[in-house]
Amino acid sequence: MICACHRQRGNQKEREWGRGVGSDEGLISYTQGKSGWGMEGLAMLKQLIGQLQELLDLYDSSSSSSSSHSSILLPSHQQHFRQHPRWCFLDFDDKSVDECCGLVMAAGKSGSFRMLEPLKPPPTKKSRRDRSRGKSSEVPCTTEVMEQEIWKDFPADLFEAVIARLPIATFFRFRSVCRGWNSLLTSQSFSQHCAEVPQVNPWFYTITHENLNSGAMYDPSSKKWHHPTVSTLATKSIVLPVASAGGLVCFLDIGHRNFYVCNPLTQSFKELPARSVKVWSRIAVGMTLNGNATGAGYKILWVGCDGEYEVYDSVKNSWTCPGNMPVSVKLPLSLNFKSQAVSIDTTLYFMRSDPEGIISYDMVTGVWKQYIIPAPVHLTDHTLAECDGRIMLVGLLTKNAATCVCIWELQKMTLLWKEVDRMPNIWCLDFYGKHVRMTCLGNKGLLMFSLRSRQMNRLVTYNIASREWLKVPGCAVPRGRKRQWIACGTSFYPCLTAMA
């Protein structure tokens, strides 16, 4: 019964081909309505139809001679196969019969014919592990071995110029490569190359409540936190960053007695000699460079509320008292210790509260000046900042239950504060009805604010030049998940060659 059914189907298909496009007349009539085929396509179609008819004949004869017809090519037809070497015989076993039924002919617009691949089963969804494994296997290996014969003659001066322009964050892996790379830090030529690289954004050195003896540095370019360990500072009492200049950070112990200067990147450390004036009350500190780089030395100024002050010169490695506070400056100073000093060229600016205004000191001429500038109303937690030689004021403006961070600029002609920007309103809504406190962690062009309350702990940066507000990722200790609360900090321009 099975063979009869197959024979009947084969005869029926043969008659259909003969009536349709099997004969030349039917083929010509069928292709007259199709444009663009051409004589070459017509000849290929005739040859294909002839081969299909012979295949049907072979299949019909093989099915009648044997009940198992798993293969079209039988031993009795081997001689016939040798005469037609271009024929292709397909195996119709249980696994391939469905695939061979998907063999179809397609005609393109160009008149060429192609045999499409057998129908493929629908794609199955792969697991996430298989997909990731497939992606990793497809990624080509781009690691190339640097030939020593080529790179051994690389010019040393050009090599130092390239290293000086690498991102500062790569320095943490830089020193461990070899002794030669580590020795570049003390090279005079490498220091000159570093001085030629323009400084874009400062970094922030901060102290957290949980780790008062270790700092955390934030790189705004990569938006990552780094956790250096200054071994010498860790053995001292609690020290806090109070000022910075030229890649160096000045620290003062919590008893306001001892000063330390350190480069957080290279751990270059120096403990300053004891002060000649014994003042143990709270003091304000400022720091400037003697030139454009730390190679010419630096100076540190401390000033107390009663008018005492001293200047440290790193070249002389000693403290000096240049003179007394002029009578034009009202005493006591009532300094705002939450506001760090601002340095513009060789002049330091400090904020005072009674009367409200600013006092300045020129580190070269030794001249003190006082400016009476009333602060905006409803202002709290305010501090000084600077950008491109302009003096800025940053603070929390609170009215009723609304709180917002505002930015003012000092007008030199009128000596009044003019509001130039404020935090986006959508961010200020998080402060509504909350008792928010703010600490400014840097005042050199790029500012960082620590905004905290009982229900909130947020870090935000503000670029004075571009007026851009950005949220800072939380600071967590290495291999830890708990976010650290920032206690204080200062901004500094990272420099690999700055020596304390």
Side-chain angles (χ1 to χ4, degrees), residues 12-39:
Q12 182 179 358
K13 290 180 179 180
E14 184 177 359
R15 289 192 298 271
E16 291 176 356
W17 277 98
R19 290 194 302 268
V21 295
S23 60
D24 294 343
E25 294 81 0
L27 179 62
I28 295 173
S29 62
Y30 179 78
T31 57
Q32 282 178 352
K34 303 294 182 180
S35 60
W37 279 21
M39 296 303 296

Side-chain angles (χ1 to χ4, degrees), residues 28 32 109 122 160 179 192 215 253 281 285 325 377 476-477:
I28 295 173
Q32 282 178 352
K109 295 181 180 181
E160 292 181 357
R179 293 182 178 179
Q192 293 177 357
D253 67 355
S281 60
V285 182
M325 189 75 65
V377 294
V477 295

Side-chain angles (χ1 to χ4, degrees), residues 12-267:
Q12 182 179 358
K13 290 180 179 180
E14 184 177 359
R15 289 192 298 271
E16 291 176 356
W17 277 98
R19 290 194 302 268
V21 295
S23 60
D24 294 343
E25 294 81 0
L27 179 62
I28 295 173
S29 62
Y30 179 78
T31 57
Q32 282 178 352
K34 303 294 182 180
S35 60
W37 279 21
M39 296 303 296
E40 181 182 358
L42 187 61
M44 293 178 63
L45 182 60
K46 287 178 60 179
Q47 182 181 359
L48 178 61
I49 293 174
Q51 291 181 4
L52 288 176
Q53 286 179 344
E54 293 185 25
L55 283 174
L56 291 175
D57 293 338
L58 289 174
Y59 177 73
D60 185 46
S61 60
S62 64
S63 61
S64 61
S65 62
S66 176
S67 59
S68 62
H69 45 275
S70 61
S71 177
I72 293 181
L73 179 59
L74 295 178
S76 59
H77 299 96
Q78 289 179 359
Q79 185 176 1
H80 196 261
F81 170 71
R82 294 190 187 99
Q83 298 176 0
H84 303 277
R86 295 178 62 185
W87 289 1
C88 178
F89 298 96
L90 305 177
D91 293 334
F92 286 93
D93 54 5
D94 294 339
K95 297 181 180 179
S96 62
V97 63
D98 293 335
E99 297 179 358
C100 294
C101 291
L103 197 63
V104 294
M105 178 184 66
K109 295 181 180 181
S110 61
S112 61
F113 294 87
R114 61 186 178 91
M115 301 298 292
L116 297 182
E117 296 180 356
L119 293 178
K120 297 181 180 179
T124 57
K125 185 176 181 180
K126 297 182 180 180
S127 62
R128 182 176 299 177
R129 179 181 299 178
D130 295 339
R131 292 197 301 268
S132 60
R133 187 180 302 169
K135 291 180 180 180
S136 60
S137 61
E138 294 175 359
V139 176
C141 182
T142 58
T143 303
E144 296 182 1
V145 179
M146 299 178 63
E147 298 184 10
Q148 185 177 1
E149 295 296 329
I150 299 177
W151 292 98
K152 69 178 183 179
D153 297 329
F154 195 79
D157 55 345
L158 184 59
F159 174 77
E160 292 181 357
V162 173
I163 295 296
R165 284 159 176 80
L166 290 177
I168 295 296
T170 60
F171 168 76
F172 298 101
R173 301 185 301 271
F174 169 86
R175 300 185 66 181
S176 60
V177 174
C178 61
R179 293 182 178 179
W181 285 26
N182 190 27
S183 62
L184 286 178
L185 300 179
T186 58
S187 171
Q188 183 65 26
S189 59
F190 182 69
S191 178
Q192 293 177 357
H193 285 297
C194 291
E196 295 174 358
V197 179
Q199 297 176 334
V200 182
N201 285 327
W203 283 27
F204 298 91
Y205 188 93
T206 63
I207 300 294
T208 62
H209 285 280
E210 291 80 0
N211 299 282
L212 292 177
N213 287 332
S214 62
M217 295 188 301
Y218 178 70
D219 176 13
S221 300
S222 62
K223 298 181 180 180
K224 291 183 179 180
W225 287 92
H226 304 279
H227 299 269
T229 301
V230 183
S231 57
T232 311
L233 280 178
T235 60
K236 306 296 180 180
S237 60
I238 298 176
V239 294
L240 304 176
V242 291
S244 67
L248 300 176
V249 178
C250 178
F251 295 86
L252 178 64
D253 67 355
I254 199 170
H256 309 103
R257 297 184 180 184
N258 302 315
F259 284 87
Y260 310 91
V261 176
C262 173
N263 185 338
L265 296 180
T266 63
Q267 297 191 18

Side-chain angles (χ1 to χ4, degrees), residues 343-407:
S343 61
I344 300 178
D345 297 330
T346 60
T347 304
L348 292 173
Y349 298 87
F350 300 88
M351 188 168 229
R352 63 177 303 172
S353 56
D354 185 20
E356 292 180 340
I358 296 174
I359 59 172
S360 66
Y361 179 77
D362 193 316
M363 299 287 273
V364 176
T365 61
V367 176
W368 285 93
K369 293 182 180 181
Q370 177 178 263
Y371 305 92
I372 306 301
I373 308 172
V377 294
H378 309 295
L379 183 64
T380 58
D381 295 342
H382 46 289
T383 180
L384 288 179
E386 68 88 18
C387 179
D388 297 331
R390 298 174 296 162
I391 299 179
M392 315 296 291
L393 178 67
V394 184
L396 283 178
L397 195 61
T398 304
K399 189 174 182 180
N400 297 331
T403 302
C404 185
V405 181
C406 296
I407 314 294

Side-chain angles (χ1 to χ4, degrees), residues 434-452:
K434 300 176 182 177
H435 181 64
V436 182
R437 300 303 304 268
M438 186 191 77
T439 301
C440 187
L441 306 176
N443 53 12
K444 294 178 172 61
L446 184 66
L447 314 179
M448 177 184 284
F449 308 109
S450 174
L451 301 164
R452 61 196 182 278

